[in-house]
Amino acid sequence: MDTALDANPPLTDDELRRLDAYWRAANYLTVGQIYLLDNPLLRNPLTPDDIKPRLLGHWGTSPGLNLLYAHLNRVIVGRDLNAMFITGPGHGGPAIVANTWLEGTWSERYHGIDRDEAGMARLFRQFSFPGGIPSHVAAEVPGSIHEGGELGYALSHAYGAAFDHPDLLVACVIGDGEAETGPLAGSWLSNVFLNPARDGAVLPILHLNGYKIASPTVFSRIPEPDLLELMHGFGYQPYVVAGDDPAQVHQTLAATLDRALDEIAAIQRRARSGGAVERPRWPMVVMRTPKGWTGPRDVDGKQVEGTYRAHQVPLSEVRTNPTHLAELETWLRSYRPEELFDATGAPVAELLALPPCGDRRMSANPVTNGGVVLRDLNLPDFRDYAIEVPRPGEPMAGATGVLGGWIRDVIAANPESFRLFGPDEVASNRLGAAFEVTGRAWVAATVPSDDHLLPDGRVMEVLSEHLCQGWLEGYLLTGRHGVFTSYEAFIHIVDSMVNQHAKWLKVTRGIPWRQPLASLNYLLSSHVWRQDHNGFSHQDPGFIDHVVNKKAEVVRVYLPPDANTLLSTMDHCLRSRHYINVVVAGKQPAPNWLTMSEAIQHTRRGLGIWEWASTDEGSEPDVVLACCGDVPTLEALAAADLLRRHLPDLKVRLVNVVDLMRLQPPTEHPHGLPDNEFDTIFTADRPIIFAYHGYPWLIHRLTYRRTNHDNLHVRGYKEEGTTTTPFDMVMLNDLDRFHLVIDVIDRVPGLAARAAHLRQQMVDERQSCRDYTRRYGEDDPRVSEWRWIRETEPGLRSGQ
């Protein structure tokens, strides 16, 4: 378990020399990117003018990344592997950039940065420089699907990439700092869900260089037997590569990779021979090398190599301190660049011969530019799953339960390119129909009472939102499709991961060689208004607010009010590209309002007047009742019904919003409604009472530039909740039908005096409903059994 080095070293002297030369070249290019503005091949002694004015970058992790990249290239060539490289220590950006330049991919993607002296100078200048590239392994870096500036997601991305890619090897380097994060800690158990018969393989490489930015890493200080037992407990066979002598480490690492890849091949061979698929013990590598290896050992009398001082820029005063300048030149010349690059500045021939060619290069593997390999889903016609709606409000049906039949058939029709992800909530969110055609992915032990556990299951359930998000991101970034379903309140757990994915989408929209990906689709159910039984801890609609903060060109938010609009919306989302789509829909039985043809038209518009629920009959209304979300729609319609019965002369226009971003002007969002159209629907001067699913201030934020914003009054969730009944929840937040009627009375000019009796009645009704819940523990049947009925129904669809 401790080592894979046999008595006979695996590398010949010539192989060792060439591998070490490649490593030195990558290290030289890494240091050059951090420091040099000019004089890339040191043809002249370094001067302060050759040095960048702002030194940015991370040296400490880079030598280890360069070592691993070189050795992986060796085995890719020797075994003709289809491999990709995920860099957990994302601040090691200059190392990966160096390797892509050595492989030639950087020059192919960025013309003018050729493999010569001028190209090297441009390569150095662009790194962490205004108008250049970031210091991370960012979207600009060929072969990257993972920026890594925020730590914790490398291993989950790696497994997501490996799912349904049977011939792919994903080498995933995990920094020992990253290993301290919660998301990474959960990711080790991803091997429970990896099917060796149909998925690829992940080779985790835990790189222990001992330090974070200012202190030791926990994993480097755990006694090695304990660390190896921990990895063994996670289901891995760990192999240790350790040392500070380059020749010895080269040999040990080469032997370790050979042994690990032999074991992976044997695992896959057994699993694909037709027998039962069981959870194997996958190999993994623990590599312990000094932080900042091959860099300055001491600076200003303090140890640097092997300490936290090597984390970023070991020599920080190079422009102003002649001693530091001299030490930098000595450091750079220690790699003997004259042996590595020819007279033109190109890598010498034997370096060019070491990496693989074409798509076998890890920086050019097509799956790392997922849009290149992405194929459209084979989607069943969602219209075939419509529920009949003979009249508004009938029948009662849960929207996600209806959607579940369609999702089931999407899974069946796309057995290698679509997966459903959720933290133990797929059935809870009423998508259990999926289990009619598949199971929950699982290769660990099973017992007879288990429910739908299959090695080749297409439903990915684990009680970690981080892991679901990471898997799905890795799956999408390598060219596939998926949906993440979750309780609305707890999707916040991945807020920061959403940030990173949104930034990736935004940046890659401006990189010509990056092709659009399938959208990241969230289906949030068990939402704030129907978490009455679980209580305050489960009541939070704020994920929408978080997503809306991202760049408008990559975010979309939909709140379909019933089952047919949900079907139409999800079909659109699964066909879309390069977005983050957030769909919020209820799972409980609820009224359905629109026929399928009406739902399609309504979702295409994004918002619209529901004529059958309005009484303005084509004239200017006295008030606009707007609604967005299934429960707010129900309450707005119930309020409209009360107004029609009690104030029949009042002209009410009911507007429903499906696409939240339609509320913004087109200058703010591509879906934004032009001002003249907005004013036509919402009026330019009449009161608007808006019942909204989430926090009310978001609606104000989206509409603050609109002509009639001063007359907009929003009701929504205002952080009032508890364990109570569904209607008491809306009353706690003043979103209920009675309060909406009160708002109309208070806001419509001249109505307060003549509707004073009705206002008092609404106040009494609220209290009566609350008293009923306190006595009987459920909602008053007058509320829970309310249905939309109109005595005279002009404007209803034909045949009614």
Side-chain angles (χ1 to χ4, degrees):
M1 188 159 70
D2 290 345
T3 183
L5 182 61
D6 298 322
N8 297 319
L11 300 174
T12 66
D13 290 344
D14 186 57
E15 288 173 329
L16 175 60
R17 181 185 60 78
R18 286 189 288 115
L19 262 176
D20 190 70
Y22 197 93
W23 182 45
R24 287 189 285 117
N27 286 338
Y28 179 85
L29 294 168
T30 299
V31 180
Q33 289 175 76
I34 294 172
Y35 283 96
L36 297 185
L37 194 62
D38 203 356
N39 195 11
L41 288 172
L42 305 182
R43 297 192 188 279
N44 303 299
L46 279 181
T47 69
D49 290 341
D50 295 329
I51 308 303
K52 293 180 178 181
R54 297 171 68 241
L55 298 179
L56 301 169
H58 288 68
W59 163 247
T61 189
S62 293
L65 293 174
N66 287 329
L67 182 73
L68 290 165
Y69 207 102
H71 277 261
L72 285 163
N73 275 341
R74 166 188 166 266
V75 295
I76 290 168
V77 171
R79 297 168 181 254
D80 190 28
L81 296 177
N82 176 24
M84 60 180 288
F85 192 92
I86 288 184
T87 313
H91 282 290
I96 307 305
V97 171
N99 282 282
T100 64
W101 188 81
L102 285 171
E103 290 181 329
T105 316
W106 195 274
S107 300
E108 294 167 11
R109 296 286 186 263
Y110 300 102
H111 300 300
I113 307 182
D114 300 323
R115 287 188 290 182
D116 56 23
E117 185 172 5
M120 187 187 298
R122 294 187 185 101
L123 185 81
F124 289 176
R125 173 181 283 266
Q126 70 175 1
F127 178 78
S128 282
F129 200 78
I133 63 170
S135 66
H136 305 151
V137 187
E140 291 88 347
V141 180
S144 172
I145 68 164
H146 172 93
E147 178 155 343
E150 179 178 314
L151 301 177
Y153 315 131
L155 195 53
S156 61
H157 283 169
Y159 276 96
F163 294 142
D164 295 322
H165 274 147
D167 67 335
L168 182 66
L169 172 71
V170 186
C172 180
V173 184
I174 301 137
D176 46 356
E178 178 173 31
E180 297 176 6
T181 66
L184 197 286
S187 297
W188 292 112
L189 288 173
S190 296
N191 59 31
V192 171
F193 305 87
L194 189 79
N195 182 352
R198 64 175 296 165
D199 297 328
V202 175
L203 179 62
I205 303 168
L206 177 59
H207 184 204
L208 303 178
N209 60 32
Y211 291 89
K212 307 187 282 285
I213 191 169
S215 58
T217 57
V218 173
F219 276 63
S220 70
R221 298 294 176 91
I222 293 174
E224 189 166 282
D226 292 351
L227 176 61
L228 299 182
E229 287 177 11
L230 177 64
M231 293 298 108
H232 200 266
F234 279 131
Y236 297 94
Q237 179 63 51
Y239 296 107
V240 175
V241 175
D244 59 6
D245 174 62
Q248 177 263 319
V249 172
H250 278 304
Q251 293 287 8
T252 306
L253 181 55
T256 299
L257 290 178
D258 284 342
R259 182 166 180 177
L261 293 171
D262 286 345
E263 291 182 7
I264 288 171
I267 288 168
Q268 292 177 332
R269 193 163 50 247
R270 287 194 301 270
R272 297 169 188 182
S273 64
V277 175
E278 297 178 346
R279 182 189 182 196
R281 187 169 294 283
W282 295 95
M284 61 89 62
V285 177
V286 176
M287 188 174 85
R288 192 187 297 269
T289 57
K291 195 173 189 75
W293 197 15
T294 74
R297 292 180 180 271
D298 302 282
V299 175
D300 297 335
K302 296 178 181 179
Q303 182 183 347
V304 172
E305 185 184 75
T307 77
Y308 67 90
R309 297 186 183 92
H311 185 76
Q312 292 177 296
V313 180
L315 297 162
S316 58
E317 301 171 3
V318 185
R319 273 196 157 204
T320 58
N321 185 327
T323 301
H324 282 200
L325 182 64
E327 288 176 337
L328 173 61
E329 183 165 353
T330 300
W331 177 13
L332 284 164
R333 292 191 185 280
S334 73
Y335 297 117
R336 306 193 297 280
E338 67 279 1
E339 299 175 7
L340 307 174
F341 306 100
D342 65 20
T344 71
V348 297
E350 70 174 10
L351 294 187
L352 295 176
L354 190 139
C357 300
D359 290 350
R360 282 296 193 244
R361 293 173 296 177
M362 291 186 288
S363 59
N365 193 318
V367 301
T368 64
N369 186 6
V372 172
V373 298
L374 180 66
R375 297 295 178 267
D376 291 342
L377 287 172
N378 179 14
L379 293 177
D381 190 339
F382 67 94
R383 298 167 185 83
D384 295 339
Y385 302 79
I387 58 172
E388 294 296 325
V389 180
R391 59 188 299 122
E394 297 179 5
M396 297 287 286
T400 58
V402 174
L403 179 71
W406 184 72
I407 291 289
R408 172 199 62 210
D409 295 343
V410 171
I411 292 171
N414 301 276
E416 297 178 351
S417 59
F418 178 85
R419 294 197 184 210
L420 179 61
F421 299 78
D424 198 29
E425 293 159 4
V426 168
S428 175
N429 283 335
R430 305 297 191 267
L431 300 176
F435 299 124
E436 297 172 16
V437 296
T438 189
R440 299 172 174 90
W442 187 265
V443 294
T446 60
V447 297
S449 60
D450 288 333
D451 181 44
H452 292 100
L453 299 183
L454 295 173
D456 59 352
R458 311 299 298 167
V459 175
M460 310 301 296
E461 278 197 341
V462 62
L463 201 52
S464 165
E465 285 82 359
H466 286 125
L467 205 46
C468 290
Q469 175 83 16
W471 287 344
L472 178 54
E473 287 179 355
Y475 200 63
L476 298 175
L477 287 160
T478 52
R480 281 75 61 75
H481 306 256
V483 170
F484 184 173
T485 182
S486 175
Y487 278 28
E488 182 184 40
F490 302 131
I491 197 64
H492 274 297
I493 292 169
V494 299
D495 277 359
S496 195
M497 298 182 77
V498 176
N499 285 346
Q500 298 304 314
H501 192 73
K503 292 175 188 296
W504 184 278
L505 295 179
K506 187 265 184 185
V507 170
T508 53
R509 286 173 68 91
I511 300 176
W513 55 268
R514 286 278 187 188
Q515 297 302 305
L517 304 167
S519 296
L520 173 53
N521 299 305
Y522 293 98
L523 176 60
L524 306 184
S525 195
S526 300
H527 61 56
V528 58
W529 301 112
R530 293 309 308 266
Q531 282 298 300
D532 41 89
H533 59 297
N534 277 323
F536 196 37
S537 64
H538 286 54
Q539 296 160 359
D540 188 335
F543 186 70
I544 294 173
D545 302 63
H546 175 69
V547 169
V548 169
N549 287 333
K550 305 301 110 186
K551 290 295 290 186
E553 60 261 32
V554 300
V555 297
R556 305 289 186 266
V557 179
Y558 303 100
L559 293 101
D562 66 1
N564 286 338
T565 51
L566 177 60
L567 282 165
S568 179
T569 298
M570 289 304 297
D571 178 81
H572 165 76
C573 291
L574 286 186
R575 294 180 189 277
S576 69
R577 295 288 182 271
H578 226 66
Y579 299 142
I580 294 175
N581 294 314
V582 178
V583 182
V584 183
K587 68 181 184 181
Q588 302 293 349
N592 285 273
W593 310 108
L594 303 180
T595 66
M596 179 53 79
S597 61
E598 291 169 336
I600 293 170
Q601 188 177 38
H602 188 48
T603 53
R604 286 174 177 169
R605 286 192 306 252
L607 58 77
I609 300 168
W610 282 4
E611 296 181 1
W612 52 267
S614 303
T615 57
D616 58 338
E617 298 180 355
S619 62
E620 192 165 25
D622 297 313
V623 65
V624 175
L625 266 181
C627 49
C628 183
D630 53 0
V631 169
T633 297
L634 172 63
E635 292 306 307
L637 285 165
D641 182 42
L642 287 167
L643 291 167
R644 175 180 55 82
R645 288 191 284 111
H646 292 284
L647 297 172
D649 295 333
L650 187 71
K651 291 184 288 185
V652 177
R653 176 179 295 173
L654 193 134
V655 177
N656 182 264
V657 178
V658 179
D659 180 349
L660 189 65
M661 311 319 292
R662 294 289 274 168
L663 297 177
Q664 283 193 297
T667 54
E668 299 295 321
H669 195 281
H671 285 195
L673 200 65
D675 284 336
N676 63 320
E677 295 181 35
F678 189 92
D679 292 345
T680 298
I681 292 173
F682 289 97
T683 77
D685 58 2
R686 299 306 168 97
I688 306 166
I689 311 301
F690 201 123
Y692 172 54
H693 173 86
Y695 291 104
W697 40 87
L698 178 60
I699 302 301
H700 287 290
R701 174 185 158 193
L702 298 177
T703 60
Y704 78 98
R705 291 185 177 181
R706 299 298 191 177
T707 304
N708 199 24
H709 179 257
D710 286 348
N711 281 324
L712 176 63
H713 311 282
V714 186
R715 294 293 174 185
Y717 184 69
K718 55 182 187 180
E719 208 65 22
E720 293 292 342
T722 185
T723 302
T724 186
T725 65
F727 190 67
D728 196 46
M729 261 298 294
V730 293
M731 285 199 297
L732 283 171
N733 291 275
D734 295 335
L735 183 64
D736 60 279
R737 59 199 68 182
F738 305 124
H739 209 289
L740 295 176
V741 171
I742 292 171
D743 280 339
V744 170
I745 294 170
D746 290 346
R747 303 297 182 182
V748 174
L751 190 57
R754 68 185 179 94
H757 296 281
L758 177 60
R759 192 186 193 286
Q760 179 173 292
Q761 181 183 342
M762 296 297 98
V763 173
D764 292 344
E765 290 284 3
R766 281 170 55 84
Q767 188 59 53
S768 174
C769 287
R770 176 148 297 157
D771 292 343
Y772 190 97
T773 64
R774 293 336 187 240
R775 181 174 183 181
Y776 297 104
E778 60 184 359
D779 284 326
D780 191 322
R782 293 178 300 162
V783 169
S784 61
E785 297 177 7
W786 174 86
R787 299 293 182 268
W788 176 265
I789 299 174
R790 288 192 64 166
E791 290 83 2
T792 57
E793 300 189 339
L796 278 183
R797 57 184 76 98
S798 59
Q800 296 186 331

